[in-house]
Amino acid sequence: MVEIQAGWVKVPNGALQIDSYLAEPKGEGVFPAVIVIQEIFGVNSHIRDVTERIAKEGYVAIAPAIYQRTAPGFEVGYSQEETILGRKYKDLTKADELLSDIQAAITYLQAKPNVNENAIGSIGFCFGGHVVYLAATLPAIKATASFYGGGIATMTPGGGPPTITHTQDIQGTIYLFFGVQDSLIPNDQADQIEAELQKHGIPHKVFRYFAGHGFFCDQRADYNPDAAADAWEQVKQLFQRELRGELG
């Protein structure tokens, strides 16, 4: 584990200033970078914790607020009322704006002297798991970890053909993590996504755990420590291999 520093920064995207939580190793060096995409609950304490955990592994990590356009500063917990509110803002997002904001985060990272501009990955959870599948089509993204991303096979933010139809445009390697007890993502949808990745020859792995939705988050009722621990090891291997060129 490396020593880190963390805090809020602004990522410019034209006139929009995106509140973003940045965590990075202290001291000299050039590091790979990872973009962290939130659940529907904002860049809350769980997402900030994940961002810091990634930085402690030796990456520059940033979590841009993907609700910046409609709900600046939005951050809630996991109650039923907060879930309803988070879904309301999720339904206001649009794929082209999300991609634009993530590209802005990429540009921000690539301008930092401590970032290897050719070694950028992403990780997302819940709605963020869907968003990073979409963002895997951006040329700069070399590795993607998508956790229980709902709706990939059935919709895209803002409307239009479902995100799965963009599978052939994925640029790098993608790992997907699902819970077979997830009531929000039928198992046949996970199978459909895997089949599409295979069809187009996209480098990928799909991990299925005997767990429910949100199993990686220790603040959620479905938290599964065994599944979370295994998934974290898989994520570390993905980023080491694709962003650091380690493990062969």
Side-chain angles (χ1 to χ4, degrees):
M1 292 288 182
V2 302
E3 199 175 349
I4 67 165
Q5 55 194 15
W8 290 94
V9 297
K10 301 278 190 183
V11 169
N13 185 9
L16 185 70
Q17 295 288 322
I18 305 167
D19 294 323
S20 305
Y21 191 70
L22 176 70
E24 55 193 337
K26 285 185 176 179
E28 298 295 318
V30 177
F31 307 95
V34 176
I35 298 169
V36 183
I37 303 298
Q38 66 188 57
E39 305 163 303
I40 60 172
F41 308 100
V43 184
N44 63 7
S45 59
H46 168 56
I47 297 301
R48 296 195 299 272
D49 176 66
V50 171
T51 306
E52 292 177 6
R53 285 177 69 185
I54 292 170
K56 288 174 183 175
E57 296 292 336
Y59 300 86
V60 175
I62 194 167
I66 62 171
Y67 290 174
Q68 187 71 41
R69 297 165 183 273
T70 53
F74 181 75
E75 175 187 340
V76 293
Y78 297 92
S79 71
Q80 184 176 359
E81 294 77 15
E82 290 166 313
T83 299
I84 291 169
L85 190 57
R87 285 176 176 160
K88 180 183 108 171
Y89 291 122
K90 178 201 78 168
D91 290 342
L92 297 177
T93 62
K94 299 175 182 177
D96 59 341
E97 293 177 345
L98 291 164
L99 287 171
S100 175
D101 292 348
I102 292 171
Q103 183 59 53
I106 291 169
T107 301
Y108 177 91
L109 290 169
Q110 290 178 326
K112 286 178 62 60
N114 64 340
V115 168
N116 177 352
E117 64 178 14
N118 297 311
I120 295 177
S122 69
I123 185 171
F125 303 88
C126 181
F127 180 53
H130 183 140
V131 174
V132 295
Y133 195 97
L134 191 66
T137 62
L138 295 172
I141 300 294
K142 301 295 191 293
T144 298
S146 169
F147 278 76
Y148 33 84
I152 292 170
T154 59
M155 56 82 71
T156 200
T163 293
I164 194 173
T165 61
H166 299 288
T167 299
Q168 63 188 6
D169 300 320
I170 290 175
Q171 303 289 308
T173 299
I174 186 165
Y175 281 13
L176 297 105
F177 302 86
F178 295 106
V180 297
Q181 296 174 298
D182 190 338
S183 61
L184 300 179
I185 307 173
N187 290 320
D188 65 340
Q189 290 186 18
D191 295 341
Q192 188 180 345
I193 294 165
E194 185 171 25
E196 197 70 9
L197 289 163
Q198 290 171 343
K199 172 184 170 184
H200 293 292
I202 306 300
H204 71 280
K205 288 185 181 180
V206 179
F207 300 89
R208 294 172 174 85
Y209 299 98
F210 194 70
H213 191 76
F215 67 79
F216 192 79
C217 175
D218 61 7
Q219 299 181 31
R220 302 184 72 158
D222 277 329
Y223 175 59
N224 184 310
D226 291 338
D230 184 80
W232 182 243
E233 289 304 313
Q234 302 298 341
V235 168
K236 288 196 294 185
Q237 289 183 28
L238 168 68
F239 290 156
Q240 285 168 1
R241 183 178 296 112
E242 302 300 330
L243 303 184
R244 294 188 185 280
E246 297 176 358
L247 302 178

